[in-house]
Amino acid sequence: APPGHTQDGGQDTSFRWQCVEQPIGKLLFRRFLEGAPEFAAAAALWSEIEAFEQCEDTERGASAERLRSRFFTPGGAEHCGFLSASATAPPTG
């Protein structure tokens, strides 16, 4: 495991384990994001990505376009400027 990924006893301390895979950790982290104005867009993006993952294949194109316009368009109220250009680029191929 990479340094800092586990602590003594082998307990996984990664972000993914604590804030994505553990239900209580996920809930608490989401509440933290939602309660901080500077992180509210990140919380909304996370919720929308989870909804996108559950939608039917026929709905994915329109859903992806809504995500791009809402969160990836500079100047928008919910623009997630902390994301890298490669993370927000439309898929190729």
Short mmCIF file of all heavy atoms in Angstrom, two decimals, residues 32-85:
data_model
loop_
_atom_site.label_atom_id
_atom_site.label_comp_id
_atom_site.label_asym_id
_atom_site.label_seq_id
_atom_site.Cartn_x
_atom_site.Cartn_y
_atom_site.Cartn_z
N PHE A 32 -20.94 17.58 5.36
CA PHE A 32 -19.90 18.60 5.47
C PHE A 32 -19.85 19.44 4.19
O PHE A 32 -19.85 20.68 4.24
CB PHE A 32 -18.54 17.95 5.74
CG PHE A 32 -17.39 18.86 5.48
CD1 PHE A 32 -17.07 19.89 6.36
CD2 PHE A 32 -16.61 18.71 4.34
CE1 PHE A 32 -16.01 20.74 6.10
CE2 PHE A 32 -15.54 19.56 4.09
CZ PHE A 32 -15.24 20.59 4.97
N LEU A 33 -19.82 18.79 3.02
CA LEU A 33 -19.77 19.52 1.76
C LEU A 33 -20.99 20.41 1.58
O LEU A 33 -20.89 21.56 1.19
CB LEU A 33 -19.67 18.54 0.58
CG LEU A 33 -18.38 17.75 0.43
CD1 LEU A 33 -18.50 16.78 -0.74
CD2 LEU A 33 -17.18 18.67 0.24
N GLU A 34 -22.16 19.85 1.87
CA GLU A 34 -23.40 20.59 1.68
C GLU A 34 -23.52 21.78 2.64
O GLU A 34 -24.16 22.77 2.32
CB GLU A 34 -24.59 19.65 1.87
CG GLU A 34 -24.71 18.63 0.76
CD GLU A 34 -25.63 17.46 1.09
OE1 GLU A 34 -26.14 17.38 2.24
OE2 GLU A 34 -25.83 16.61 0.22
N GLY A 35 -22.88 21.69 3.79
CA GLY A 35 -22.98 22.75 4.79
C GLY A 35 -21.98 23.88 4.60
O GLY A 35 -22.06 24.90 5.30
N ALA A 36 -21.05 23.72 3.69
CA ALA A 36 -20.05 24.76 3.46
C ALA A 36 -20.31 25.39 2.09
O ALA A 36 -20.22 24.70 1.08
CB ALA A 36 -18.65 24.13 3.50
N PRO A 37 -20.63 26.68 2.05
CA PRO A 37 -20.97 27.31 0.76
C PRO A 37 -19.91 27.10 -0.32
O PRO A 37 -20.26 26.89 -1.48
CB PRO A 37 -21.10 28.80 1.12
CG PRO A 37 -21.46 28.81 2.56
CD PRO A 37 -20.76 27.62 3.17
N GLU A 38 -18.65 27.11 0.06
CA GLU A 38 -17.59 26.94 -0.94
C GLU A 38 -17.51 25.52 -1.49
O GLU A 38 -16.88 25.30 -2.51
CB GLU A 38 -16.23 27.39 -0.38
CG GLU A 38 -15.71 26.54 0.77
CD GLU A 38 -16.13 27.00 2.16
OE1 GLU A 38 -17.23 27.57 2.31
OE2 GLU A 38 -15.35 26.78 3.09
N PHE A 39 -18.16 24.56 -0.82
CA PHE A 39 -18.13 23.17 -1.28
C PHE A 39 -19.49 22.67 -1.75
O PHE A 39 -19.63 21.51 -2.13
CB PHE A 39 -17.62 22.24 -0.16
CG PHE A 39 -16.26 22.59 0.35
CD1 PHE A 39 -16.01 22.64 1.71
CD2 PHE A 39 -15.22 22.86 -0.51
CE1 PHE A 39 -14.76 22.96 2.19
CE2 PHE A 39 -13.96 23.19 -0.05
CZ PHE A 39 -13.73 23.24 1.31
N ALA A 40 -20.51 23.51 -1.72
CA ALA A 40 -21.86 23.08 -2.07
C ALA A 40 -21.93 22.56 -3.51
O ALA A 40 -22.63 21.58 -3.78
CB ALA A 40 -22.86 24.21 -1.85
N ALA A 41 -21.20 23.20 -4.43
CA ALA A 41 -21.22 22.74 -5.83
C ALA A 41 -20.61 21.35 -5.94
O ALA A 41 -21.10 20.51 -6.70
CB ALA A 41 -20.48 23.73 -6.73
N ALA A 42 -19.57 21.08 -5.17
CA ALA A 42 -18.96 19.75 -5.19
C ALA A 42 -19.95 18.70 -4.68
O ALA A 42 -20.04 17.60 -5.23
CB ALA A 42 -17.68 19.73 -4.34
N ALA A 43 -20.71 19.04 -3.65
CA ALA A 43 -21.71 18.11 -3.13
C ALA A 43 -22.79 17.85 -4.17
O ALA A 43 -23.21 16.70 -4.37
CB ALA A 43 -22.34 18.67 -1.85
N ALA A 44 -23.24 18.90 -4.84
CA ALA A 44 -24.27 18.74 -5.88
C ALA A 44 -23.73 17.91 -7.04
O ALA A 44 -24.43 17.04 -7.56
CB ALA A 44 -24.73 20.11 -6.37
N LEU A 45 -22.48 18.16 -7.43
CA LEU A 45 -21.87 17.38 -8.51
C LEU A 45 -21.81 15.91 -8.15
O LEU A 45 -22.15 15.04 -8.96
CB LEU A 45 -20.47 17.92 -8.83
CG LEU A 45 -19.67 17.12 -9.86
CD1 LEU A 45 -20.39 17.06 -11.20
CD2 LEU A 45 -18.27 17.72 -10.02
N TRP A 46 -21.40 15.60 -6.94
CA TRP A 46 -21.32 14.21 -6.49
C TRP A 46 -22.69 13.55 -6.60
O TRP A 46 -22.82 12.44 -7.12
CB TRP A 46 -20.81 14.17 -5.06
CG TRP A 46 -20.43 12.81 -4.55
CD1 TRP A 46 -20.72 11.59 -5.10
CD2 TRP A 46 -19.69 12.53 -3.37
NE1 TRP A 46 -20.21 10.58 -4.33
CE2 TRP A 46 -19.56 11.13 -3.26
CE3 TRP A 46 -19.12 13.33 -2.39
CZ2 TRP A 46 -18.91 10.53 -2.21
CZ3 TRP A 46 -18.45 12.71 -1.34
CH2 TRP A 46 -18.34 11.32 -1.26
N SER A 47 -23.73 14.23 -6.13
CA SER A 47 -25.08 13.66 -6.21
C SER A 47 -25.50 13.43 -7.65
O SER A 47 -26.09 12.39 -7.98
CB SER A 47 -26.08 14.61 -5.54
OG SER A 47 -25.85 14.67 -4.16
N GLU A 48 -25.21 14.38 -8.52
CA GLU A 48 -25.59 14.25 -9.92
C GLU A 48 -24.81 13.15 -10.63
O GLU A 48 -25.36 12.45 -11.49
CB GLU A 48 -25.43 15.58 -10.65
CG GLU A 48 -26.41 16.65 -10.20
CD GLU A 48 -27.86 16.26 -10.44
OE1 GLU A 48 -28.15 15.66 -11.49
OE2 GLU A 48 -28.69 16.56 -9.57
N ILE A 49 -23.56 12.97 -10.28
CA ILE A 49 -22.77 11.88 -10.88
C ILE A 49 -23.34 10.53 -10.44
O ILE A 49 -23.46 9.61 -11.26
CB ILE A 49 -21.28 12.01 -10.53
CG1 ILE A 49 -20.68 13.17 -11.32
CG2 ILE A 49 -20.53 10.71 -10.82
CD1 ILE A 49 -19.26 13.51 -10.97
N GLU A 50 -23.74 10.41 -9.19
CA GLU A 50 -24.35 9.16 -8.74
C GLU A 50 -25.67 8.91 -9.48
O GLU A 50 -25.96 7.78 -9.85
CB GLU A 50 -24.57 9.19 -7.23
CG GLU A 50 -23.28 9.02 -6.46
CD GLU A 50 -23.48 8.88 -4.97
OE1 GLU A 50 -24.48 9.38 -4.43
OE2 GLU A 50 -22.60 8.27 -4.34
N ALA A 51 -26.44 9.95 -9.71
CA ALA A 51 -27.69 9.80 -10.47
C ALA A 51 -27.38 9.40 -11.91
O ALA A 51 -28.07 8.54 -12.49
CB ALA A 51 -28.49 11.10 -10.43
N PHE A 52 -26.34 10.00 -12.49
CA PHE A 52 -25.93 9.67 -13.86
C PHE A 52 -25.58 8.19 -13.97
O PHE A 52 -25.94 7.51 -14.92
CB PHE A 52 -24.73 10.53 -14.27
CG PHE A 52 -24.13 10.14 -15.59
CD1 PHE A 52 -24.68 10.57 -16.77
CD2 PHE A 52 -22.99 9.34 -15.64
CE1 PHE A 52 -24.13 10.21 -18.00
CE2 PHE A 52 -22.44 8.97 -16.85
CZ PHE A 52 -23.01 9.41 -18.03
N GLU A 53 -24.87 7.67 -12.97
CA GLU A 53 -24.46 6.27 -12.99
C GLU A 53 -25.65 5.32 -12.95
O GLU A 53 -25.54 4.18 -13.38
CB GLU A 53 -23.50 5.99 -11.83
CG GLU A 53 -22.15 6.66 -12.00
CD GLU A 53 -21.25 6.54 -10.78
OE1 GLU A 53 -21.74 6.15 -9.69
OE2 GLU A 53 -20.06 6.84 -10.92
N GLN A 54 -26.79 5.80 -12.46
CA GLN A 54 -27.98 4.96 -12.34
C GLN A 54 -28.94 5.11 -13.53
O GLN A 54 -29.86 4.32 -13.67
CB GLN A 54 -28.74 5.30 -11.06
CG GLN A 54 -27.94 5.08 -9.79
CD GLN A 54 -27.51 3.65 -9.60
OE1 GLN A 54 -28.30 2.73 -9.80
NE2 GLN A 54 -26.26 3.44 -9.21
N CYS A 55 -28.72 6.11 -14.38
CA CYS A 55 -29.70 6.34 -15.45
C CYS A 55 -29.53 5.34 -16.59
O CYS A 55 -28.50 4.72 -16.75
CB CYS A 55 -29.63 7.79 -15.94
SG CYS A 55 -28.21 8.24 -16.91
N GLU A 56 -30.58 5.22 -17.36
CA GLU A 56 -30.59 4.31 -18.51
C GLU A 56 -29.60 4.78 -19.56
O GLU A 56 -29.35 5.98 -19.70
CB GLU A 56 -32.00 4.26 -19.12
CG GLU A 56 -33.06 3.73 -18.19
CD GLU A 56 -32.90 2.26 -17.88
OE1 GLU A 56 -32.40 1.51 -18.74
OE2 GLU A 56 -33.26 1.86 -16.77
N ASP A 57 -29.08 3.86 -20.35
CA ASP A 57 -28.12 4.19 -21.41
C ASP A 57 -28.68 5.24 -22.37
O ASP A 57 -27.95 6.11 -22.83
CB ASP A 57 -27.71 2.94 -22.19
CG ASP A 57 -26.81 2.02 -21.36
OD1 ASP A 57 -26.28 2.47 -20.33
OD2 ASP A 57 -26.65 0.86 -21.77
N THR A 58 -29.97 5.15 -22.66
CA THR A 58 -30.58 6.09 -23.61
C THR A 58 -30.63 7.52 -23.06
O THR A 58 -30.76 8.47 -23.83
CB THR A 58 -32.01 5.65 -23.97
OG1 THR A 58 -32.77 5.53 -22.76
CG2 THR A 58 -32.00 4.33 -24.73
N GLU A 59 -30.53 7.68 -21.74
CA GLU A 59 -30.60 8.99 -21.11
C GLU A 59 -29.21 9.58 -20.84
O GLU A 59 -29.10 10.75 -20.46
CB GLU A 59 -31.35 8.89 -19.78
CG GLU A 59 -32.77 8.39 -19.92
CD GLU A 59 -33.39 8.05 -18.56
OE1 GLU A 59 -32.68 8.16 -17.53
OE2 GLU A 59 -34.56 7.68 -18.54
N ARG A 60 -28.17 8.79 -21.04
CA ARG A 60 -26.83 9.22 -20.63
C ARG A 60 -26.32 10.44 -21.38
O ARG A 60 -25.68 11.29 -20.79
CB ARG A 60 -25.84 8.07 -20.75
CG ARG A 60 -26.10 7.03 -19.67
CD ARG A 60 -24.85 6.41 -19.23
NE ARG A 60 -25.15 5.68 -18.00
CZ ARG A 60 -24.25 5.15 -17.25
NH1 ARG A 60 -23.00 5.24 -17.60
NH2 ARG A 60 -24.58 4.53 -16.16
N GLY A 61 -26.55 10.52 -22.67
CA GLY A 61 -26.06 11.65 -23.44
C GLY A 61 -26.62 12.97 -22.94
O GLY A 61 -25.87 13.92 -22.70
N ALA A 62 -27.93 13.02 -22.76
CA ALA A 62 -28.57 14.25 -22.29
C ALA A 62 -28.14 14.56 -20.85
O ALA A 62 -27.90 15.72 -20.50
CB ALA A 62 -30.08 14.12 -22.37
N SER A 63 -28.02 13.53 -20.04
CA SER A 63 -27.61 13.72 -18.65
C SER A 63 -26.18 14.26 -18.58
O SER A 63 -25.89 15.17 -17.80
CB SER A 63 -27.73 12.40 -17.88
OG SER A 63 -27.34 12.57 -16.54
N ALA A 64 -25.30 13.71 -19.40
CA ALA A 64 -23.91 14.18 -19.43
C ALA A 64 -23.84 15.63 -19.87
O ALA A 64 -23.07 16.42 -19.32
CB ALA A 64 -23.08 13.29 -20.36
N GLU A 65 -24.65 16.01 -20.83
CA GLU A 65 -24.65 17.40 -21.30
C GLU A 65 -25.13 18.34 -20.20
O GLU A 65 -24.59 19.43 -20.03
CB GLU A 65 -25.52 17.54 -22.56
CG GLU A 65 -25.44 18.90 -23.19
CD GLU A 65 -24.01 19.37 -23.46
OE1 GLU A 65 -23.19 18.57 -23.95
OE2 GLU A 65 -23.71 20.55 -23.16
N ARG A 66 -26.14 17.92 -19.44
CA ARG A 66 -26.61 18.74 -18.32
C ARG A 66 -25.50 18.90 -17.27
O ARG A 66 -25.31 19.99 -16.73
CB ARG A 66 -27.86 18.14 -17.68
CG ARG A 66 -29.12 18.35 -18.50
CD ARG A 66 -30.38 18.00 -17.74
NE ARG A 66 -30.38 16.63 -17.24
CZ ARG A 66 -30.81 15.57 -17.92
NH1 ARG A 66 -31.26 15.72 -19.15
NH2 ARG A 66 -30.79 14.38 -17.38
N LEU A 67 -24.78 17.81 -16.99
CA LEU A 67 -23.67 17.87 -16.05
C LEU A 67 -22.62 18.86 -16.53
O LEU A 67 -22.13 19.70 -15.77
CB LEU A 67 -23.03 16.49 -15.86
CG LEU A 67 -23.72 15.53 -14.92
CD1 LEU A 67 -23.15 14.13 -15.08
CD2 LEU A 67 -23.56 15.99 -13.49
N ARG A 68 -22.24 18.76 -17.81
CA ARG A 68 -21.22 19.65 -18.36
C ARG A 68 -21.65 21.11 -18.26
O ARG A 68 -20.88 21.97 -17.84
CB ARG A 68 -20.93 19.30 -19.82
CG ARG A 68 -19.90 18.19 -19.96
CD ARG A 68 -19.39 18.07 -21.39
NE ARG A 68 -20.37 17.56 -22.33
CZ ARG A 68 -20.65 16.27 -22.49
NH1 ARG A 68 -20.02 15.36 -21.79
NH2 ARG A 68 -21.57 15.89 -23.36
N SER A 69 -22.88 21.41 -18.64
CA SER A 69 -23.31 22.81 -18.63
C SER A 69 -23.48 23.35 -17.20
O SER A 69 -23.18 24.51 -16.95
CB SER A 69 -24.59 22.99 -19.43
OG SER A 69 -25.66 22.29 -18.85
N ARG A 70 -23.90 22.51 -16.30
CA ARG A 70 -24.15 22.96 -14.92
C ARG A 70 -22.87 23.11 -14.11
O ARG A 70 -22.71 24.08 -13.37
CB ARG A 70 -25.09 21.97 -14.23
CG ARG A 70 -25.45 22.34 -12.81
CD ARG A 70 -26.50 21.40 -12.25
NE ARG A 70 -26.70 21.62 -10.84
CZ ARG A 70 -27.43 20.83 -10.08
NH1 ARG A 70 -28.04 19.77 -10.60
NH2 ARG A 70 -27.56 21.08 -8.79
N PHE A 71 -21.96 22.16 -14.23
CA PHE A 71 -20.80 22.13 -13.34
C PHE A 71 -19.46 22.43 -14.00
O PHE A 71 -18.51 22.78 -13.32
CB PHE A 71 -20.70 20.75 -12.67
CG PHE A 71 -21.88 20.42 -11.82
CD1 PHE A 71 -22.84 19.52 -12.25
CD2 PHE A 71 -22.06 21.02 -10.58
CE1 PHE A 71 -23.94 19.20 -11.47
CE2 PHE A 71 -23.17 20.72 -9.79
CZ PHE A 71 -24.10 19.81 -10.24
N PHE A 72 -19.37 22.28 -15.31
CA PHE A 72 -18.07 22.41 -15.98
C PHE A 72 -17.95 23.68 -16.82
O PHE A 72 -16.95 23.88 -17.48
CB PHE A 72 -17.79 21.20 -16.86
CG PHE A 72 -17.87 19.87 -16.14
CD1 PHE A 72 -18.09 18.71 -16.85
CD2 PHE A 72 -17.72 19.77 -14.77
CE1 PHE A 72 -18.16 17.47 -16.22
CE2 PHE A 72 -17.80 18.55 -14.12
CZ PHE A 72 -18.01 17.39 -14.84
N THR A 73 -18.98 24.53 -16.82
CA THR A 73 -18.96 25.75 -17.62
C THR A 73 -18.46 26.92 -16.77
O THR A 73 -19.12 27.28 -15.78
CB THR A 73 -20.37 26.06 -18.17
OG1 THR A 73 -20.82 24.94 -18.92
CG2 THR A 73 -20.34 27.30 -19.05
N PRO A 74 -17.31 27.49 -17.12
CA PRO A 74 -16.77 28.62 -16.34
C PRO A 74 -17.78 29.75 -16.25
O PRO A 74 -18.50 30.06 -17.20
CB PRO A 74 -15.54 29.05 -17.14
CG PRO A 74 -15.12 27.81 -17.87
CD PRO A 74 -16.41 27.10 -18.21
N GLY A 75 -17.87 30.33 -15.06
CA GLY A 75 -18.78 31.43 -14.84
C GLY A 75 -20.14 31.03 -14.30
O GLY A 75 -20.87 31.86 -13.79
N GLY A 76 -20.46 29.75 -14.37
CA GLY A 76 -21.73 29.28 -13.85
C GLY A 76 -21.74 29.26 -12.33
O GLY A 76 -20.69 29.15 -11.70
N ALA A 77 -22.93 29.34 -11.75
CA ALA A 77 -23.06 29.39 -10.29
C ALA A 77 -22.52 28.14 -9.62
O ALA A 77 -22.05 28.18 -8.48
CB ALA A 77 -24.51 29.61 -9.90
N GLU A 78 -22.58 27.01 -10.32
CA GLU A 78 -22.11 25.76 -9.74
C GLU A 78 -20.87 25.22 -10.45
O GLU A 78 -20.60 24.03 -10.41
CB GLU A 78 -23.23 24.72 -9.74
CG GLU A 78 -24.35 25.09 -8.79
CD GLU A 78 -25.41 24.01 -8.71
OE1 GLU A 78 -26.12 23.80 -9.70
OE2 GLU A 78 -25.52 23.39 -7.64
N HIS A 79 -20.13 26.12 -11.10
CA HIS A 79 -18.91 25.70 -11.80
C HIS A 79 -17.93 25.13 -10.78
O HIS A 79 -17.64 25.75 -9.77
CB HIS A 79 -18.27 26.88 -12.54
CG HIS A 79 -16.99 26.53 -13.19
ND1 HIS A 79 -15.83 27.22 -12.93
CD2 HIS A 79 -16.67 25.57 -14.09
CE1 HIS A 79 -14.85 26.70 -13.65
NE2 HIS A 79 -15.34 25.69 -14.35
N CYS A 80 -17.42 23.94 -11.05
CA CYS A 80 -16.46 23.28 -10.18
C CYS A 80 -15.05 23.52 -10.74
O CYS A 80 -14.46 22.65 -11.38
CB CYS A 80 -16.78 21.79 -10.07
SG CYS A 80 -18.33 21.47 -9.20
N GLY A 81 -14.56 24.73 -10.52
CA GLY A 81 -13.28 25.14 -11.06
C GLY A 81 -12.09 24.37 -10.52
O GLY A 81 -11.00 24.46 -11.08
N PHE A 82 -12.29 23.61 -9.46
CA PHE A 82 -11.19 22.83 -8.88
C PHE A 82 -10.88 21.59 -9.71
O PHE A 82 -9.84 20.96 -9.51
CB PHE A 82 -11.53 22.41 -7.45
CG PHE A 82 -12.83 21.66 -7.33
CD1 PHE A 82 -12.88 20.29 -7.54
CD2 PHE A 82 -14.00 22.33 -7.03
CE1 PHE A 82 -14.07 19.60 -7.44
CE2 PHE A 82 -15.20 21.65 -6.93
CZ PHE A 82 -15.24 20.29 -7.13
N LEU A 83 -11.75 21.23 -10.65
CA LEU A 83 -11.51 20.04 -11.48
C LEU A 83 -10.50 20.36 -12.57
O LEU A 83 -10.49 21.46 -13.11
CB LEU A 83 -12.82 19.56 -12.10
CG LEU A 83 -13.88 19.06 -11.12
CD1 LEU A 83 -15.19 18.84 -11.84
CD2 LEU A 83 -13.42 17.80 -10.44
N SER A 84 -9.67 19.39 -12.90
CA SER A 84 -8.69 19.58 -13.96
C SER A 84 -9.37 19.64 -15.32
O SER A 84 -10.50 19.16 -15.49
CB SER A 84 -7.67 18.44 -13.94
OG SER A 84 -8.29 17.23 -14.36
N ALA A 85 -8.66 20.20 -16.30
CA ALA A 85 -9.20 20.27 -17.66
C ALA A 85 -9.47 18.88 -18.21
O ALA A 85 -10.46 18.66 -18.91
CB ALA A 85 -8.23 21.02 -18.56
#
